[in-house]
């Protein structure tokens, strides 16, 4: 399964160019430059990567036809001057179709039988807020693959697009740029795969951000819960929807570096502490990470509502104004929450106007969530004390403390100016001063 081709920088990638072309079309600006760059990026592969003239000609025709169809669709958008989520999905899906056909052609050029599978129209529409959406997609993938596999294709390598069709509100708004990972996880589950390999531009999961912490070490294995927490709180291991799918299917996920074929990467192992006693973890913490650009909202009740009504009304306001909350800390008469960076400040301000009728309300911007994550923290005493002591000794002021029910994540909120110091000091305390042995075994060979 493939995603759209990337460029040397994100802005030059196929998906970014497609989004730019769509925006230019709706604004009645010229989009030909975007199409030319998309075509050039793929033609460079066609003319520079294939030895067979037959394969080269077939691949060239595929690129030409995709670009021609895309141009025709963009011209229609110039007329209506607006774009729906469904229309944007149709445009974005072009990137995966181009990639799938070129990868399949590359295999054929090396005398490996292969065929491209377009999943762009796999489903008419799917709502990711519906609990059973994964079952719907898995059945559709299984049906599609059964119809494509025959005696003629039995030994051929199918190359699937990482785009599965229309999502309510659009694929980018509903899922984000990680939709190919989600499609891969759904396909792996539908086909009862033994393992899912995700090839990225990083080696895997590290104890800290390796671009900022020179001593950060690669972690050989993480549990699904650890991976889910790391993903949500800044590590960007895999998309949250992808993790949910992999956890449910109990399929090992191996994260590998596209540019380091010899690397072992990190395995998200479903057999690692799914429940107590499954596998012992010989480390207290697995990684420290941070999530920037969050807001901290503090609300103190005026006591006009009982404690249970106070909480219920507050979260009704958040839901009504579509304010996404990450962390929550409460007492009988006060509430502190962090607002996810994806929530527009305009919506937060509207919610605060309504919340001010419940009590004193204030908002602090430029805050960072710093999280210490690890399965072993559940059975290791003194982790929280060591974490808070470390930050106190560095003079880092903690504005909020939260720990989830799974006990694999302790998070604090600090001012943006203290974030780097907080992360580095915690990494030093938990991963440098006390070097822990890391298992190098892998669930995917």
């Amino acid at each position: 399964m493939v995603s759209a081709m990337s460029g040397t920088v994100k802005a030059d990638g196929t998906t970014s160019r497609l989004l730019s072309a769509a925006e230019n079309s709706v604004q009645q600006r010229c989009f030909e430059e975007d199409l030319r760059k998309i075509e050039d990026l793929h033609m460079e592969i066609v003319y520079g990567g294939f030895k067979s003239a037959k394969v080269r000609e077939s691949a060239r025709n595929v690129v030409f036809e995709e670009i021609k169809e895309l141009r025709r669709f963009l011209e229609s958008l110039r007329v209506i001057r607006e774009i729906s989520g469904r229309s944007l999905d149709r445009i974005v899906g072009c990137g995966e179709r181009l990639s799938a056909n070129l990868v399949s052609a590359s295999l054929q050029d090396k005398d490996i039988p292969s065929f491209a599978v377009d999943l762009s129209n796999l489903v008419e529409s799917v709502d990711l807020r519906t609990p059973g959406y994964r079952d719907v997609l898995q059945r559709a993938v299984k049906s599609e693959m059964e119809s494509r596999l025959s005696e003629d294709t039995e030994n051929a390598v199918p190359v699937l697009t990482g785009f599965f069709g229309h999502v309510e509100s659009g694929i980018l708004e509903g899922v984000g740029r990680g939709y190919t990972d989600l499609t891969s996880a759904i396909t792996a589950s539908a086909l009862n795969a033994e393992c899912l390999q995700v090839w990225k531009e990083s080696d895997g999961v590290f104890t800290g951000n390796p671009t900022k912490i020179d001593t950060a070490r690669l972690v050989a294995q993480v549990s699904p819960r650890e991976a889910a927490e790391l993903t949500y709180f800044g590590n960007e291991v895999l998309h949250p929807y992808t993790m949910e799918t992999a956890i449910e299917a109990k399929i090992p996920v191996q994260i590998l570096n596209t540019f380091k074929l010899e690397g072992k990467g990190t395995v998200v192992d479903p057999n690692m502490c799914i429940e107590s006693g499954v596998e012992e973890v010989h480390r207290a913490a697995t990684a420290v990470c941070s999530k920037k650009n969050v807001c901290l909202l503090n609300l103190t009740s005026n006591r006009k509502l009982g404690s249970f009504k106070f909480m219920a009304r507050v979260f009704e306001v958040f839901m009504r104004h579509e304010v996404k909350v990450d962390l929550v800390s409460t007492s009988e008469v006060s509430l502190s929450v962090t607002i996810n960076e994806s929530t527009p400040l305009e919506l937060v301000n509207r919610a605060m106007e309504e919340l001010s009728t419940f009590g004193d309300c204030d908002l602090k911007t430029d805050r960072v969530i710093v999280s210490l994550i690890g399965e072993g923290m559940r059975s290791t005493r003194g982790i929280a004390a060591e974490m808070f002591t470390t930050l106190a000794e560095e003079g880092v002021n903690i504005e909020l403390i939260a720990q989830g029910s799974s006990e694999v994540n302790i998070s604090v909120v600090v001012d943006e100016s203290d974030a780097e110091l907080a992360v580095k000091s915690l990494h030093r305390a938990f991963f440098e001063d006390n070097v822990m042995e890391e298992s190098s075994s892998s669930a995917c060979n």
Side-chain angles (χ1 to χ4, degrees):
M1 181 161 293
V2 294
S3 59
M5 282 185 62
S6 60
T8 53
V9 295
K10 189 173 183 179
D12 288 334
T14 303
T15 301
S16 295
R17 288 293 176 192
L18 288 169
L19 294 174
S20 175
E23 177 65 18
N24 286 330
S25 174
V26 172
Q27 298 298 326
Q28 295 193 305
R29 298 190 295 258
C30 180
F31 51 75
E32 286 298 331
E33 179 68 8
D34 292 312
L35 298 193
R36 183 187 66 77
K37 289 186 176 181
I38 292 172
E39 184 175 322
D40 288 349
L41 181 64
H42 292 82
M43 284 303 182
E44 185 178 342
I45 302 297
V46 171
Y47 288 110
F50 302 145
K51 295 178 293 184
S52 168
K54 181 180 178 180
V55 170
R56 186 165 55 246
E57 180 67 14
S58 176
R60 185 182 70 86
N61 290 338
V62 168
V63 175
F64 279 161
E65 286 301 314
E66 280 290 347
I67 297 297
K68 184 170 75 173
E69 179 62 28
L70 176 61
R71 180 180 287 108
R72 187 181 299 127
F73 189 69
L74 290 171
E75 289 288 357
S76 68
L77 292 180
R78 293 188 69 174
V79 176
I80 61 177
R81 301 188 186 185
E82 64 179 9
I83 186 168
S84 65
R86 185 177 292 275
S87 294
L88 193 59
D89 283 355
R90 181 172 175 177
I91 293 170
V92 170
C94 175
E96 277 70 24
R97 288 192 295 274
L98 287 168
S99 286
N101 280 283
L102 288 189
V103 171
S104 179
S106 179
L107 292 170
Q108 294 170 31
D109 192 57
K110 294 175 173 57
D111 297 323
I112 300 173
S114 176
F115 60 97
V117 179
D118 181 12
L119 299 182
S120 296
N121 298 308
L122 184 65
V123 291
E124 176 63 24
S125 180
V126 63
D127 188 346
L128 301 186
R129 295 167 299 184
T130 303
Y133 82 90
R134 284 194 290 269
D135 293 334
V136 172
L137 291 173
Q138 287 166 11
R139 287 195 296 270
V141 168
K142 188 174 183 178
S143 175
E144 178 68 19
M145 292 307 298
E146 287 176 346
S147 68
R148 294 298 302 269
L149 295 175
S150 63
E151 290 184 6
D152 295 334
T153 61
E154 184 177 359
N155 297 316
V157 178
V159 182
L160 285 65
T161 62
F163 184 87
F164 56 76
H166 179 59
V167 170
E168 290 293 330
S169 75
I171 192 78
L172 292 178
E173 184 176 336
V175 179
R177 296 286 280 261
Y179 56 81
T180 299
D181 287 351
L182 173 58
T183 310
S184 299
I186 287 170
T187 302
S189 178
L191 302 180
N192 296 317
E194 293 182 5
C195 177
L196 170 62
Q197 291 185 345
V198 180
W199 292 82
K200 294 182 169 291
E201 296 179 358
S202 63
D203 293 335
V205 177
F206 284 81
T207 54
N209 187 338
T211 64
K212 295 183 178 180
I213 303 176
D214 295 335
T215 54
R217 295 179 288 108
L218 184 67
V219 181
Q221 288 177 296
V222 296
S223 74
R225 278 190 302 223
E226 288 174 330
E229 294 288 340
L230 286 165
T231 293
Y232 193 83
F233 287 99
N235 194 283
E236 298 183 4
V237 180
L238 291 170
H239 192 282
Y241 285 147
T242 306
M243 285 311 313
E244 290 173 7
T245 303
I247 290 171
E248 184 179 89
K250 298 182 181 179
I251 295 174
V253 181
Q254 190 170 22
I255 304 165
L256 298 163
N257 192 329
T258 307
F259 302 102
K260 294 182 181 179
L261 301 182
E262 72 285 357
K264 295 183 179 180
T266 299
V267 175
V268 183
D269 187 353
N271 295 316
M272 185 176 176
C273 286
I274 291 178
E275 54 190 26
S276 179
V278 171
E279 182 174 320
E280 187 180 357
V281 179
H282 298 287
R283 63 188 181 218
T286 297
V288 59
C289 59
S290 61
K291 189 175 187 180
K292 298 181 179 180
N293 302 319
V294 300
C295 297
L296 177 62
L297 188 152
N298 298 305
L299 176 62
T300 302
S301 173
N302 55 20
R303 296 180 181 272
K304 291 182 179 179
L305 295 171
S307 58
F308 69 93
K309 287 185 179 180
F310 171 66
M311 296 297 176
R313 294 283 181 86
V314 168
F315 283 96
E316 283 176 5
V317 172
F318 287 148
M319 182 176 65
R320 189 160 48 250
H321 293 282
E322 299 182 341
V323 174
K324 188 175 181 181
V325 171
D326 290 327
L327 301 178
V328 180
S329 179
T330 67
S331 69
E332 184 179 358
V333 295
S334 66
L335 172 74
S336 294
V337 299
T338 57
I339 308 299
N340 189 276
E341 74 278 7
S342 64
T343 304
L345 193 58
E346 179 183 356
L347 297 182
V348 179
N349 289 332
R350 290 177 185 174
M352 288 185 65
E353 288 182 16
E354 194 169 342
L355 290 173
S356 63
T357 62
F358 302 157
D360 296 329
C361 189
D362 69 84
L363 184 72
K364 297 178 180 178
T365 58
D366 300 324
R367 292 309 189 261
V368 176
I369 298 174
V370 177
S371 302
L372 187 65
I373 293 168
E375 287 277 2
M377 298 196 306
R378 302 170 63 201
S379 56
T380 305
R381 295 180 180 177
I383 291 294
E386 184 176 356
M387 180 179 182
F388 302 147
T389 299
T390 298
L391 295 177
E393 289 175 347
E394 295 291 343
V396 176
N397 182 46
I398 299 174
E399 299 183 39
L400 180 148
I401 298 170
Q403 182 173 23
S405 59
S406 66
E407 299 182 48
V408 300
N409 179 356
I410 302 176
S411 292
V412 297
V413 175
V414 301
D415 189 273
E416 186 178 44
S417 61
D418 288 330
E420 185 172 349
L421 175 60
V423 170
K424 287 185 175 180
S425 63
L426 289 176
H427 189 274
R428 185 169 56 251
F430 286 92
F431 305 106
E432 297 171 40
D433 293 345
N434 302 302
V435 178
M436 302 174 190
E437 294 184 359
E438 189 71 55
S439 171
S440 60
S441 60
S442 170
C444 302
N445 296 318

